[in-house]
Structure formats: structure tokens, C-alpha cells
Amino acid sequence: MMAGETRGKPIRCRAAVCWKAGEPLVMEEVMVAPPLAGEVRIRIICTSLCHSDITIWKLKDPPGCVPRILGHEAVGVVESVGENVSEVTEGDIVLPILMPDCGECTDCRSEKSNLCSKFPFKISPWMPRYESSRFTDLKGEVLYHFLFVSSFSEYTVVDIANITKIDPNIPPNRACLFSCGVSTGVGAAWKTANVEKGSTVAIFGLGTIGLAVAEGARLRGASRIIGVDLNPDKFEIGKKFGVTDFVNSGNCGNKPVRQVIMEMTDGGADYCFECVGMASLVHEAFACCRKGWGKTIVLGVDRPGSMLSFPSFDILHSGKSLMGSPYGGVKPKSDIPILLKRYMDKELDVDKFVTHEMRFEDINKAFDLLIQGKSLRCVLWMDK
């Protein structure tokens, strides 16, 4: 179709729909409505898979819901824009990003936070501005959105607060990684922890997020980066990302992991990152942190309702801090261009995160690889 021919009209295209929690996605023809005011319709070029897609795909209870179009790590081209959108125009290359950045609220104007108050982040089935969906199947049944992105569709509608315009020269099969995983991990080391040169870092879980933390800590000049994982293969992989030491948490003899790391670091790591999403590991990471100045940063997404509990004595007397780091503390519209420039300048290496590339219709194969721990990032091309 010629540019402009689809403007203002619904678009019929393919999407991978989740009809039942935990069951294979079904390739369907769907209708994607035109964008409303403040929204942008984009054609997805490629999308990658992230563990958060799997976490929500498995959930039978809220925030899980069906039928839904999952996917949130992607790159696309603007097909059309709704009223009052001036930031991007048709043909621009953009990243849809789950963290809104309205640019107007107190938080978005501050350097201290990336948590927009105008459009608070939530795992919603709707668009952020209107609490409605832009997707229907061919019978007219509503299909739900995911993380304000829903990239497992050839076309999707995203709020302008969730869109970051990027340099069109960046290869799309690398650009998409900055939409979630790589930015979260690298950002956590850079923005949330502010890792200093010569410091010691311990990372719990060496999936994509954990390895991206290692890459970020390496860029920040950390002297020791300790990777903790159950899978011994992860040490060889981790070395490529700057991991200097490895602890196999399933094979520490009769010592708890905390004791092993305390001994290795002479009193605890300066920064600990929990990248799995398990309350017990958050406790372990906090215990491995140095008293007085240690920081534990939580990046893993645990099941809804999961609780943490610490004796108040331990909190008061250890002087350590525990903090969450949504999207690595990265402010999409101002920080993503910095990260992308570091990639283009060959300082930040993201090529090694992409272990597989496939066609969109092979999405269930890509899910299997991620579930089995056989891939870091699998990039799906929409038109190959």
C-alpha cells in the first residue's frame, strides 16, 4: 500500500493471539483500529521475546487475561498518527517502550525518576489514555493489549508517551533489544546503582537482564562482576559480558551462597542485582551486600502478591539499601538515545545478546527456546 492509503482506516493484519493461558499462540487475522488523539499506529519491523511475556502468558488470574496480544520488545515504523501528535511523523523509526514518558508531569521533568504520574505504569489490558482496545478479531471480539505495546502483531497502536524516535541507521534486529531487556539491565547498573569504577558487583540470575547488568557494570568500570546461577553453562556465556567470577548456587557444598560471596568479597559486594524474580533470592542478594553502603537492586518480576520480610533490626543496623529498578531507571526519551549512541560507537555490545533470529510465524518455537533456557534473545522478523 502507498503511504497514506491506510491512514484513518482499520488495518487487517496478522497477529499471534494468546487465547488461553499457557497454550501456544495462534496466528490470526486481526483488525487494528486507527490511532485516537495522542496515539500512533506503527508497523512492527521486528520483535524479540522477553521473560515478562512468558510470566504473563502463563497467568490464569489478573494481571493475566485473554484473548490478548502479548509482546513488548520491538522496533517499528510510524504508519499514521492521531490528532495532537507532533513528536513523530509517518515513516519515522521508533521504539515502543512499556514505561510511559509524558514529558509533562513532575516525575518526567525530574532527573530522579522514570515513573510517569500522568500515565502510571501498570499491566493493563487497555491503552493508557482511554482504557479501551484498538484490536478486534474478524468476528469483532475485543483482543486485549499488553504493557501498552502488544508487538506480536504486524501493526499495533501505541500512546505517544510510550514512543521514542530513534536513528533509522540502527539495525532493527539490534534496536528492538533497547525496547526492554538491554536497557533495563544496563540502565540498572548506570542509573539506579550508579556503579563506580573499581567496585564489586554480584548478579543473581544470568539471563538477558543479568547479562545486561554485567555489560553495564563493565562499562562503568566495576573491577569484579560475580555471576550467580544454577546453570554452569552460564559462566562461559557470562565471560563475554564481563563476568569475572562465577558461583553455581546449586553446588556450594554445605555453604549458603551468602557465605561464599561474603568470603570472596571480604564482607560483601558493593552492589547486588536480583534478576530472577524470587523473594528468596532478594533476601539472598540483600544478605550478600556490604554493610554500610551496599545496595541491592531488584529487577526480577515475581508472581503477583509475593512478599519480602526482613527483621527491622537487620535493616537498621546494616545500613544497606534495597531498591526496585523499573526499566533500569532509564527515562525512555532522554536516555535511550544515549544508550543507542554508545551501541553505534561500539562501546556497548548488544550483538552477543541475539542468539536466534526467526520468522514471526515461528513464534511458538521461540517461546520454547526461552522457556528451556536455550536462548537469550530471539528476534522475530515480521516480513521474512
Side-chain angles (χ1 to χ4, degrees), residues 11 69 195 200 221-222 247 273 284 303 339:
I11 288 179
I69 298 176
V195 168
T200 304
V247 174
F273 296 85
E284 202 61 29
R303 66 185 190 284
L339 288 175

Side-chain angles (χ1 to χ4, degrees), residues 252-384:
C252 292
N254 47 13
K255 282 186 190 176
V257 169
R258 58 185 73 185
Q259 192 185 337
V260 174
I261 289 180
M262 283 301 209
E263 288 168 6
M264 284 171 79
T265 55
D266 189 26
D270 301 311
Y271 302 98
C272 290
F273 296 85
E274 197 280 343
C275 305
V276 178
M278 279 172 63
S280 59
L281 266 188
V282 176
H283 288 128
E284 202 61 29
F286 189 73
C288 293
C289 240
R290 185 163 196 90
K291 68 179 190 311
W293 67 69
K295 279 186 185 173
T296 298
I297 289 111
V298 179
L299 291 160
V301 180
D302 205 342
R303 66 185 190 284
S306 176
M307 302 294 281
L308 297 170
S309 56
F310 296 92
S312 62
F313 186 90
D314 286 3
I315 298 287
L316 173 64
H317 287 258
S318 69
K320 305 189 262 196
S321 54
L322 173 67
M323 58 222 304
S325 179
Y327 194 53
V330 166
K331 291 176 92 70
K333 300 201 188 204
S334 48
D335 292 334
I336 290 298
I338 297 170
L339 288 175
L340 288 169
K341 185 174 186 309
R342 296 196 82 173
Y343 166 66
M344 292 302 268
D345 292 345
K346 300 197 162 36
E347 292 170 44
L348 173 58
D349 180 5
V350 304
D351 298 350
K352 58 200 175 192
F353 285 98
V354 180
T355 50
H356 299 76
E357 299 198 30
M358 294 181 183
R359 297 175 312 161
F360 179 41
E361 45 268 36
D362 295 326
I363 189 164
N364 288 313
K365 232 184 272 180
F367 261 67
D368 290 342
L369 285 170
L370 194 55
I371 291 163
Q372 291 160 16
K374 290 181 180 166
S375 73
L376 289 175
R377 277 298 183 262
C378 178
V379 174
L380 301 168
W381 289 88
M382 288 302 181
D383 60 353
K384 287 198 173 169

Side-chain angles (χ1 to χ4, degrees), residues 103-270:
E104 297 161 9
C105 70
T106 309
D107 298 85
C108 288
R109 290 202 314 268
S110 156
E111 283 294 297
K112 294 178 180 175
S113 155
N114 67 343
L115 297 172
C116 177
S117 343
K118 188 174 172 186
F119 303 112
F121 172 77
K122 49 184 187 264
I123 305 174
S124 162
W126 309 118
M127 296 293 292
R129 216 172 279 248
Y130 304 101
E131 299 267 306
S132 55
S133 172
R134 303 292 161 270
F135 297 117
T136 49
D137 69 4
L138 297 186
K139 294 184 208 134
E141 183 178 353
V142 167
L143 304 171
Y144 297 118
H145 287 256
F146 179 56
L147 294 179
F148 309 136
V149 174
S150 289
S151 59
F152 295 164
S153 173
E154 290 174 320
Y155 285 84
T156 185
V157 178
V158 181
D159 196 281
I160 188 60
N162 294 82
I163 289 279
T164 297
K165 184 176 167 178
I166 66 165
D167 176 348
N169 296 313
I170 300 164
N173 56 346
R174 300 295 179 263
C176 61
L177 303 189
F178 288 86
S179 174
C180 179
V182 166
S183 301
T184 300
V186 173
W190 164 40
K191 301 277 292 192
T192 308
N194 195 13
V195 168
E196 303 111 331
K197 203 169 180 189
S199 55
T200 304
V201 169
I203 301 167
F204 292 76
L206 294 179
T208 296
I209 304 283
L211 293 169
V213 170
E215 180 71 12
R218 181 188 68 74
L219 274 174
R220 299 285 298 175
S223 61
R224 277 184 93 181
I225 301 174
I226 302 163
V228 184
D229 203 287
L230 284 165
N231 179 351
D233 301 341
K234 287 289 171 83
F235 189 34
E236 281 314 305
I237 297 164
K239 283 179 188 169
K240 296 183 200 164
F241 297 83
V243 174
T244 57
D245 303 76
F246 183 71
V247 174
N248 183 334
S249 47
N251 189 14
C252 292
N254 47 13
K255 282 186 190 176
V257 169
R258 58 185 73 185
Q259 192 185 337
V260 174
I261 289 180
M262 283 301 209
E263 288 168 6
M264 284 171 79
T265 55
D266 189 26
D270 301 311

